[in-house]
Amino acid sequence: MRAVWDIARLVLLEGLRNRLHHGILAFAALMLLAAVALASVTMGRTEMLVLDLGLGVLALFLQLVAVVFTIQIVQQEKENRTLYLLLTRLAQRWPYMLGKSLGVGGVLAVQAAGMGVLLFLLARFFGVFDALSYVQAVAATFLEAWIVAATALVFAQSSSFFLAVLFTIGVDVAGHFHSIIAHLGARAELALARWLAKLATWALPDLESVSVRDLAGIAPLAAADWWQLMAYAGLTVAAWTALAIAIFSRRNLA
Amino acid sequence: MRPLLRVEGLRLSVPTGKLHLKHKTILHDVCFSVPEGARAAYLGPNGAGKTSTFRVLTRLVRPDAGRIHYRGHSFIPPACLGFLPEQPYFYRHLTPREVLSALARLAGLRQGVDARIAHWAERLGVAHVLDQRFAACSKGQMQRIGLVQALVHEPEFLLLDEPMSGLDPLGRELVADVLREVAARGTTILFSTHILSDAEELCDHVIVLHEGRVRYEGTMEALLASGRRMRLRYRAPKPFAAEAKALEKGVWEEVWPEEEAHKRLREVMQRGAEVLLFAPQRRTLEEAFAELVGRGRP
């Protein structure tokens, strides 16, 4: 497991020092300020509007980082041959991919925490809200992005950058319509359509159930529901990472 | 000497074509061995399959057929291997110290990591860049840091793909010194290079690969002595062969394969010429290489 942490640490350091991320963070901060400006001139509870808009911005940017950064680190590592330096030191390949997954998770966690604190302070300036539900919403948004990153790990290995981004965004979008796909499948007349919908709901991550942003500032999730959400997100990340490991372990790195 | 690494019947093909449906064989039953403690050069023209062989040896690529034997293992155990890929590149936003210590830990080194990094970085002249980001390092510095990472855990087998690439003459000399130093301590080295003079100077064992096939495997001495030619220098008013080269007025020199040279010597002496020199001419590695691969240069 030491090897996993060493690789995760490299990913984390590289991610946090990457200028692209600094740019994305700066842009996200600007968007948060724009959200505040917009909310302050709108009628209603300003702090809640700030939270709504701000969490939307946070989710958007975290998912952008999850997709672009994950695919970039996997593909650049092969192009630049840094991958060879790491793999020739490992008896097996799985620690490499697991380290990547944890490293990307670390980058997302740091960014979620940074943007989350900034948004909290901005919203708090306008009024009082339920802090626990807000923390849960930020944590869930991070988990949602980590799931997307884990799917990106799978697609990053087997295709070009553009295709990998396309496939990952496809899974991301479809994952947010999980219940609609299930509902449409249940109502479909064709057996094949029902079967396909079932397959899709089984294979796609249920990102809808991970998202609790609509409860932010209002009321926290019950403990049991929260742990269930965490367990589902953790298992989904683990399953997609395992799939990435299985593919990567069989690949020829010519 | 006992072989440390033995490669038997290595065959590797790669997919080609737009749909990757065709296959091109790039290694054809490659067999060779590297004796323990040897400094072996793995030579071949571009596209001969040197880097592909290294990728198989480092388990980055699975061969279609063939076996590797290394101290009873079917692969080179990571703790025993120091590998330098061709033109190494590192994480732009990290510093050499961060990457080297992570790589040393990955190789199983637990104690004295910093001291080892400092030692090898000093030895290879990159101690002053250890704490600056890779983005600010030159190509030559990257190459030297690449060597530091291969040496830092002091492995018993070094596999180096073009270790002299991107280095200035002083850098090449320094790297050659370091390789001699580690070889003197018993480390076995297998390296590929296009700079044949470096290989000739450094190596005692040679493997020549051409179009995916091993054309020569053996000691450097045997390769340079094989197909030995003799120089015959004599004084005579006229040369006795069209190939004779005039060295000065009335002094001629002919070079013949060893088996014909003695016959020519007798003829020259019978014709009354004064023989000034009859000595073997040692081939250079470049000449031997050109003969083995038939055309071009590596």
Side-chain angles (χ1 to χ4, degrees), chain A residues 170-190:
Chain A
V171 169
D172 187 3
V173 171
H176 283 100
F177 291 100
H178 202 270
S179 63
I180 294 175
I181 294 171
H183 182 68
L184 287 175
R187 294 185 62 177
E189 286 180 10
L190 271 176

Side-chain angles (χ1 to χ4, degrees), chain A residues 7-59:
Chain A
I7 292 168
R9 190 171 167 272
L10 285 178
V11 177
L12 183 65
L13 287 176
E14 176 76 355
L16 295 180
R17 290 183 195 163
N18 195 328
R19 277 189 194 157
L20 176 76
H21 286 198
H22 299 165
I24 288 176
L25 274 178
F27 193 61
L30 275 176
M31 293 286 285
L32 286 179
L33 290 174
V36 170
L38 186 68
S40 60
V41 295
T42 314
M43 287 181 65
R45 282 183 66 190
T46 310
E47 71 278 7
M48 296 310 287
L49 286 168
V50 169
L51 279 189
D52 268 1
L53 291 170
L55 281 171
V57 169
L58 192 145

Side-chain angles (χ1 to χ4, degrees), chain A residues 67-137:
Chain A
V67 175
V68 175
F69 178 64
T70 309
I71 295 170
Q72 200 182 37
I73 55 161
V74 172
Q75 297 200 337
Q76 271 189 357
E77 192 126 58
K78 195 184 164 206
E79 276 169 31
N80 296 337
R81 294 185 289 273
T82 43
L83 171 70
Y84 300 170
L85 299 175
L86 298 174
L87 289 185
T88 51
R89 282 171 155 79
L90 301 172
Q92 289 171 314
R93 289 186 182 178
W94 65 265
Y96 172 82
M97 205 41 88
L98 187 53
K100 289 280 164 199
S101 184
L102 290 176
V104 171
V107 172
L108 293 171
V110 170
Q111 294 198 339
M115 286 196 274
V117 168
L118 177 65
L119 178 60
F120 180 84
L121 294 174
L122 288 171
R124 195 67 194 226
F125 179 75
F126 291 100
V128 179
F129 54 87
D130 181 64
L132 180 60
S133 61
Y134 172 72
V135 172
Q136 283 181 341

Side-chain angles (χ1 to χ4, degrees), chain A residues 19, chain B residues 89-96 128-142 145:
Chain A
R19 277 189 194 157
Chain B
Y89 195 85
F90 299 92
Y91 305 91
R92 282 178 62 77
H93 304 289
L94 303 187
T95 66
H128 62 291
V129 298
L130 279 180
D131 294 308
Q132 73 181 38
R133 291 190 186 183
F134 276 107
C137 289
S138 70
K139 194 179 167 191
Q141 286 168 339
M142 291 265 205
I145 293 164

Side-chain angles (χ1 to χ4, degrees), chain B residues 213-225:
Chain B
R213 291 182 170 85
V214 173
R215 291 295 172 92
Y216 176 83
E217 193 217 331
T219 64
M220 179 71 78
E221 196 53 45
L223 174 63
L224 300 184

Side-chain angles (χ1 to χ4, degrees), chain B residues 164 172 176 191 193 195-203:
Chain B
M164 311 292 190
R172 274 169 52 198
F191 77 93
T193 182
I195 308 166
L196 295 181
S197 55
D198 285 343
E200 188 173 352
E201 198 188 318
L202 263 172
C203 298

